[in-house]
Amino acid sequence: MDKSQDRSGRDGARSGALRLLAAVEEGATLDEAAALIEGAAPPDRARARRLAREVLRRQARADALLAPFLARRPRPEIQRILRLATVEMLALGEAPHGAVNAAVALARASGPKGQAASGMVNAVLRKVSASAETWVGLPPQHMPGWLRKPIVAAWGKPAARAIEAAHEAGAPLDLTPKAADCPGDALPTGSHRLPAGTQVSALPGYDAGDWWVQDAAAAMAVRVLDPQPGETVADLCAAPGGKTLQLATAGSRVTALDISESRLARVAENLARCGLAAEIVAGDALTWRPEEPLDAVLLDAPCSATGTIRRHPELPLIRDGAGLRDLTALQARLIDHALTLLRPGGRLVYATCSLLPAEGEEQLAAALSRHPGLTVEPPQAPGIQPGWITEQGGLRLRPDLWPERGGMDGFFIARLRKSA
């Protein structure tokens, strides 16, 4: 590829990133906005999404650096161009002349008002390119108040700052092995880790179904459940299926339930690729009942997904916590119903990919108060550190844990035993 083709591809990816960022400002997730860049070549689509994620992780930080160089706040489309070039230069190591020239071209291409602002874009970004020391001294982007306040209350300001640093750093690629020969570095909990950006389908063992993509924290829910061969287990809210695959690998007789038939199709595809079997049922986890009481239930409940901000940096920008009350009410109803599906002495693992105590520690306390015979069994699985276990006996995982390894998603996991 010659330099002109490479530059064209980069500029196409930048244009795509700007379209994604504009969609996020309108309230869309990056997945929902993906249709806006469908016409681009696959490498440009991948680069556009990567650029958009990196900007979203540092948007407030870029704005703080830009502010002293701006006489007034620019139009939104120009502000997005400035943010993109700032992050490219100061966070991603892009050569200043390339990033500045591309930003000026993007401004000019945005219409008459962009053409008028192109001189300002050039002048401001040349100053930004010389501000690396200032950039390094700026703190990572704060979580919004509705999320940061309960985190500070639960674990203190230093933990909140460490979580914010983990959000900015992004997430590596984790695999759960079915076979012993799995790519990546082995983690203490049994997952394997590869650098972010690794092309999944090119890894050895993908076609053979020797492993699947699953964050190390997400994989802990099944390991805490400890499914046994021949046990009857239901995976409620099962899609996209990583936990179903774990249960099937353990030799359990698994029912994978989800309300979305389209999402269950992905579960079926993953089971087929990995050579595993489970009964797939489209249904409502609040009303579904098995023919016979179950040995165990895994309930990975619908939640705020605030534990996945490393992977989905748009979430703090498009949500305001308004639906939390409805979510916690739904979680409580799901816990109550799941317990009725168990045989006496059966066990339930409740999990949420949330950083909010309302969806974890507080939900567990409320369940114990509603069900006097219910007991918590502290998690027993490889790699769990004592500091991760709460006073109640739940497992609290946070993005700032394992900082030397690249962190993990935020999760709350509790193993509950029904009275015999």
Side-chain angles (χ1 to χ4, degrees):
M1 177 184 294
D2 64 32
K3 290 185 178 180
S4 63
Q5 288 176 312
D6 181 57
R7 185 166 55 250
S8 174
R10 285 171 176 263
D11 290 348
R14 289 177 174 118
S15 296
L18 293 172
R19 288 196 290 275
L20 295 175
L21 293 170
V24 169
E25 289 183 14
E26 295 296 320
T29 67
L30 287 176
D31 286 341
E32 291 166 346
L36 297 172
I37 57 172
E38 274 186 358
D44 291 346
R45 289 202 303 269
R47 179 172 165 79
R49 286 182 67 108
R50 174 176 172 263
L51 287 174
R53 285 195 299 267
E54 298 296 349
V55 172
L56 292 168
R57 289 179 179 128
R58 300 167 177 84
Q59 184 166 295
R61 192 171 176 179
D63 286 353
L65 184 74
L66 286 162
F69 304 133
L70 296 168
R72 64 182 68 84
R73 189 173 180 85
R75 293 172 59 82
E77 63 271 22
I78 299 300
Q79 186 73 9
R80 288 190 289 271
I81 291 170
L82 291 171
R83 287 169 177 163
L84 174 58
T86 298
V87 170
E88 281 197 277
M89 290 188 290
L90 300 183
L92 305 180
E94 185 71 29
H97 67 274
V100 173
N101 291 342
V104 171
L106 289 165
R108 287 174 176 161
S110 68
K113 292 183 177 178
Q115 292 175 13
S118 62
M120 178 273 290
V121 168
N122 181 66
V124 167
L125 290 178
R126 290 190 182 282
K127 294 175 183 175
V128 165
S129 69
S131 303
E133 190 173 332
T134 303
W135 173 263
V136 170
L138 292 171
Q141 185 162 284
H142 274 201
M143 294 173 281
W146 64 267
L147 177 56
R148 196 175 207 268
K149 185 175 179 181
I151 287 174
V152 169
W155 305 302
K157 287 184 178 179
R161 288 193 291 267
I163 289 170
E164 287 161 348
H167 287 165
E168 180 178 290
L173 176 73
D174 290 347
L175 308 178
T176 298
K178 186 185 84 170
D181 189 16
C182 181
D185 295 328
L187 297 173
T189 55
S191 296
H192 284 232
R193 177 157 288 182
L194 290 145
T198 302
Q199 186 179 346
V200 172
S201 59
L203 292 172
Y206 174 81
D207 292 330
D210 291 341
W211 46 263
W212 52 92
V213 175
Q214 186 179 30
D215 185 81
M220 288 301 297
V222 172
R223 293 181 178 133
V224 168
L225 181 65
D226 191 23
Q228 298 300 306
E231 283 190 320
T232 55
V233 184
D235 182 5
L236 306 183
C237 313
K243 298 176 181 67
T244 296
L245 297 174
Q246 287 179 280
L247 294 167
T249 299
S252 300
R253 290 184 288 144
V254 188
T255 299
L257 181 87
D258 201 275
I259 201 166
S260 168
E261 290 193 24
S262 62
R263 282 167 58 80
L264 279 172
R266 288 185 61 193
V267 180
E269 289 170 7
N270 286 326
L271 284 165
R273 181 176 67 84
C274 295
L276 296 168
E279 181 185 7
I280 296 177
V281 178
D284 188 342
L286 285 171
T287 57
W288 175 81
R289 304 200 71 84
E291 292 182 2
E292 301 289 338
L294 300 166
D295 294 308
V297 170
L298 177 66
L299 172 59
D300 187 357
C303 71
S304 64
T306 46
T308 68
I309 291 171
R310 299 187 313 152
R311 304 173 190 282
H312 304 287
E314 73 274 20
L315 293 183
L317 304 173
I318 64 174
R319 296 184 181 169
D320 59 7
L324 186 60
R325 182 175 295 181
D326 290 341
L327 272 175
T328 54
L330 173 61
Q331 291 158 6
R333 292 170 62 202
L334 286 167
I335 290 171
D336 293 347
H337 181 66
L339 290 170
T340 71
L341 310 181
L342 292 169
R343 64 168 175 78
R347 62 199 188 281
L348 164 68
V349 161
Y350 167 76
T352 55
C353 55
S354 172
L355 290 173
L356 294 167
E359 299 182 280
E361 291 86 346
E362 294 171 22
Q363 195 67 265
L364 174 58
L368 294 172
S369 69
R370 293 194 305 273
H371 302 278
L374 197 62
T375 56
V376 182
E377 297 182 336
Q380 301 288 328
I384 292 177
Q385 297 181 18
W388 301 356
I389 301 175
T390 70
E391 291 182 4
Q392 302 162 300
L395 182 63
R396 167 51 71 185
L397 305 176
R398 303 192 322 226
D400 60 317
L401 302 178
W402 277 352
E404 73 286 355
R405 292 189 171 99
M408 65 177 75
D409 282 353
F411 257 87
F412 181 82
I413 300 168
R415 173 170 153 151
L416 303 168
R417 178 75 66 172
K418 186 175 179 178
S419 171

